[in-house]
Amino acid sequence: MPRSSTAIRDGGPGVDALDLARLQFAMTTNLHFLFVALTLGLAPLVAIMQTRHVLTGAAIHERMTRFWGQIYLINYGVGILTGLVMEFQFGLNWSGLSHYAGAVFGAPLALETMVAFFLESTLLGLWIFGWHRIPPKVHLALIWLVTLTAYLSAFWIMVANSFLQNPVGVEERDGQLVLTDFGALIGNRHLAWSLPHVVGAALVTAAFVMIAISSYHLFRRTSASEFFTRSLRTAVVTALIGTILTVVSGHLSVFPAERTQPGKFDAPAIDGPFYTMLGIGDALMLFSILVMLPLLRRDRLARWRWLHPLLIALIPLPYAASVLGWVSREVGRQPWLIYGKLRVADALTPGITADMILASLIGFAVVLGILVVLDYVLIAGAARRGPDDVALGTPPPTPGAPPDMDAPARSLIGEQG
């Protein structure tokens, strides 16, 4: 039976602790996912670029691996910090969730942290420092394992989220949920289409970031025109695959959601975000199919400079669609945190006040704001400098030559003055 709602604590007239806690979680989760989307999308593209280098020996594929790999690493490193900020909230604001369903909800999160995240970080470290030190095929295997563990991490996160949408494989004992069927947990009908939808959204995000950066250099007619023409081709094909996967899985995910949460997409609170998200997804798919893909022939997309500012301007759309998709999925479940089992109000930490949440909200907003700006500055700087100034994979100095200790710092943050 659903738990009964408790009184909401507040810290003053007109201030609601529950609303502030929801706002805080929405802010931190959305910002963190924007980092995750680019990381998930870039990982397989970098792995494919390195595979082409190992198979063909072509230097341009190594340059592409190093340049786009550095963009990936910057986003990954800063994204980890945003994830740590987000994790704090489970203990701060939502201890009721841990008490009632920690044995179930915490299982996939623990697997994501211990198996996927730590393994991914270890493998990535070996890949970063293994350039020119380990055999090429072993080095290539590392980036593919990094990609595999990244998507394994996304899988466990979506298992946990799908449980909140459709709590299966559990029963309530002594006021707490107990996992009775692990197979039902990972076979959740909400997971079947939501996971491909997230994967597609990540590919779209990475593709349009690559399109924007490539268009920037092609518009400026930099010396690396062949490099960014090839990158543009890769990104357009990825955008085509990603938009089709996102749109198809997104539409199909509506059916299991309607079966388990009737009327979810008719709620006024998500009507606008939901249909705006669908509109952006459909528009990006049609633009990929009808405009970008045909213009790849004879490299017209790379040569038509008048089109490049438009391609650069498209970069916010995948991010906006990701935020709107999260709002549609999460807000439409209200007032339930675990649908039919636990209300959001009951998951709030007992005794917490609006003043306490407001203080942490301001603190988190400042930290996350700094991280977002830092990520943008570092990625924009690396993108602007292009593939001729990359720290990742820099060959070791020739024997007898003094090492240039400042080279990695210059490549990462750029020359000043």
Side-chain angles (χ1 to χ4, degrees):
M1 294 291 293
R3 300 180 71 195
S4 60
S5 181
T6 59
I8 305 299
R9 279 70 61 189
D10 60 60
V15 181
D16 190 291
L18 180 60
D19 288 340
L20 284 174
R22 290 178 60 196
L23 175 61
Q24 184 181 106
F25 197 80
M27 176 189 70
T28 55
T29 305
N30 270 299
L31 285 175
H32 177 60
F33 182 71
L34 298 184
F35 287 86
V36 171
L38 182 56
T39 298
L40 280 178
L42 278 178
L45 298 181
V46 173
I48 290 171
M49 293 170 190
Q50 186 167 352
T51 300
R52 296 182 70 182
H53 167 63
V54 171
L55 294 179
T56 66
I60 192 169
H61 295 312
E62 181 183 16
R63 293 180 70 208
M64 292 174 68
T65 303
R66 293 174 57 221
F67 175 75
W68 296 112
Q70 180 155 297
I71 302 292
Y72 163 80
L73 289 174
I74 293 171
N75 190 77
Y76 179 89
V78 181
I80 288 176
L81 299 178
T82 65
L84 294 176
V85 173
M86 185 188 70
E87 291 289 342
F88 282 129
Q89 290 171 98
F90 288 111
L92 289 174
N93 298 342
W94 305 107
S95 63
L97 173 63
S98 300
H99 174 76
Y100 181 64
V104 182
F105 182 71
L109 293 184
L111 288 170
E112 187 271 338
T113 300
M114 293 187 294
V115 178
F117 176 73
F118 284 131
L119 183 58
E120 177 188 0
S121 300
T122 301
L123 293 168
L124 186 59
L126 292 172
W127 183 73
I128 293 170
F129 297 105
W131 283 86
H132 312 292
R133 292 180 175 85
I134 59 179
K137 291 184 179 179
V138 176
H139 192 247
L140 173 63
L142 286 173
I143 190 60
W144 277 112
L145 288 172
V146 167
T147 303
L148 177 64
T149 51
Y151 280 84
L152 182 61
S153 178
F155 169 79
W156 288 119
I157 291 295
M158 293 310 298
V159 167
N161 185 269
S162 296
F163 166 75
L164 301 180
Q165 305 288 339
N166 182 35
V168 294
V170 297
E171 64 180 46
E172 186 169 339
R173 298 175 187 170
D174 300 324
Q176 294 180 317
L177 290 184
V178 177
L179 181 64
T180 58
D181 189 347
F182 187 75
L185 188 69
I186 62 175
N188 196 322
R189 66 176 64 178
H190 276 258
L191 181 66
W193 294 114
S194 62
L195 181 61
H197 188 66
V198 168
V199 171
L203 292 175
V204 173
T205 302
F208 277 91
V209 168
M210 286 184 65
I211 288 169
I213 294 174
S214 300
S215 298
Y216 168 80
H217 282 272
L218 292 169
F219 181 76
R220 297 183 66 219
R221 293 176 174 169
T222 58
S223 59
S225 59
E226 181 186 359
F227 179 97
F228 286 108
T229 296
R230 287 174 177 260
S231 296
L232 189 61
R233 291 181 205 149
T234 300
V236 169
V237 173
T238 304
L240 178 65
I241 296 171
T243 52
I244 293 175
L245 178 59
T246 303
V247 170
V248 172
S249 60
H251 283 284
L252 291 175
S253 66
V254 171
F255 299 109
E258 284 286 1
R259 284 199 295 270
T260 57
Q261 302 175 26
K264 174 175 183 172
F265 297 103
D266 297 328
I270 70 165
D271 199 37
F274 177 67
Y275 287 104
T276 303
M277 175 200 65
L278 291 182
I280 293 175
D282 291 343
L284 291 178
M285 182 181 68
L286 292 175
F287 187 75
S288 299
I289 295 172
L290 301 178
V291 178
M292 293 195 298
L293 187 63
L295 291 180
L296 284 184
R297 187 176 182 183
R298 299 179 182 177
D299 290 327
R300 283 175 291 183
L301 191 64
R303 291 186 290 106
W304 288 5
R305 295 177 66 246
W306 60 269
L307 191 56
H308 295 158
L310 172 61
L311 298 179
I312 296 171
L314 292 176
I315 196 170
L317 292 183
Y319 287 106
S322 296
V323 171
L324 294 170
W326 184 90
V327 170
S328 301
R329 183 174 176 87
E330 301 303 312
V331 175
R333 193 175 65 245
Q334 298 299 313
W336 299 103
L337 182 54
I338 303 176
Y339 192 80
K341 299 285 187 182
L342 177 69
R343 295 181 186 273
V344 177
D346 295 312
L348 198 64
T349 298
I352 197 168
T353 67
D355 291 336
M356 297 164 64
I357 299 176
L358 182 61
S360 62
L361 174 62
I362 294 172
F364 287 161
V366 171
V367 172
L368 289 171
I370 292 173
L371 293 176
V372 168
V373 172
L374 176 65
D375 189 60
Y376 172 80
V377 170
L378 291 178
I379 289 180
R384 190 181 303 112
R385 292 190 300 274
D388 295 327
D389 189 8
V390 177
L392 177 65
T394 302
T398 55
D404 184 358
M405 302 302 294
D406 295 328
R410 287 201 306 271
S411 295
L412 182 61
I413 62 176
E415 295 283 3
Q416 303 295 321

